[in-house]
Amino acid sequence: MAFGSFDKGGSAPMADINTTPLVDVMLVLLVVFIITTPLLTNTVKLDLPQASAAAQQSQPKEIRLAIDAAGAVFWNDVKVPEGELDARFAAAARDNPQVELHLFADKSVRYESVAKTLASAQQGGISKIGFATEAP
């Protein structure tokens, strides 16, 4: 640490950083953490009631929709005419509002076919849509 001298001639200003306040703050924080840590580990023992209701086991129905390279649509592995798709989506959403659509599309299918299918699903009331890919 550099200290100023008593020399009256051309003394330069002191350029060292005074770290004493920093050390003081760190020691205060250390003491605070040492005091508060035991308070955080104490727990309150409670005797809570146990729930006897069974968990709901209904799984949402899923629709496996595949689009091949030619743009043909398959609903759970059954080919569906293009005009019938809207009615099927609406019926599926009416039967189960939590229905999930799993969309399998060929690599070479035009995006237009996928976009039309997604728009049809949205208009039919299906909000849970997942895109499936093939594992390498």
Side-chain angles (χ1 to χ4, degrees):
M1 217 169 173
F3 292 96
S5 65
F6 293 112
D7 185 18
K8 300 271 186 203
S11 65
M14 184 171 63
D16 289 340
I17 296 174
N18 188 1
T19 59
T20 305
L22 177 67
V23 172
D24 289 344
V25 169
M26 296 310 258
L27 287 174
V28 168
L29 286 174
L30 179 67
V31 169
V32 167
F33 287 137
I34 288 173
I35 291 172
T36 58
T37 301
L39 298 176
L40 298 176
T41 59
N42 291 340
T43 59
V44 177
K45 299 206 185 262
L46 296 175
D47 187 19
L48 297 174
Q50 298 294 322
S52 61
Q56 185 177 2
Q57 296 297 327
S58 65
Q59 294 292 328
K61 181 183 168 190
E62 71 177 39
I63 302 167
R64 293 178 45 90
L65 194 76
I67 305 174
D68 66 359
V73 179
F74 295 88
W75 182 289
N76 292 336
D77 300 327
V78 177
K79 189 172 182 179
V80 176
E82 188 175 330
E84 190 179 316
L85 198 57
D86 295 332
R88 282 195 179 208
F89 281 136
R94 230 179 322 157
D95 292 343
N96 184 2
Q98 297 297 320
V99 68
E100 296 177 2
L101 174 65
H102 296 181
L103 184 63
F104 297 84
D106 193 274
K107 263 193 231 182
S108 59
V109 72
R110 292 182 47 94
Y111 179 71
E112 179 183 5
S113 300
V114 176
K116 283 182 182 179
T117 305
L118 292 176
S120 178
Q122 183 181 17
Q123 288 173 353
I126 295 178
S127 60
K128 294 184 178 184
I129 300 173
F131 295 95
T133 60
E134 196 173 279

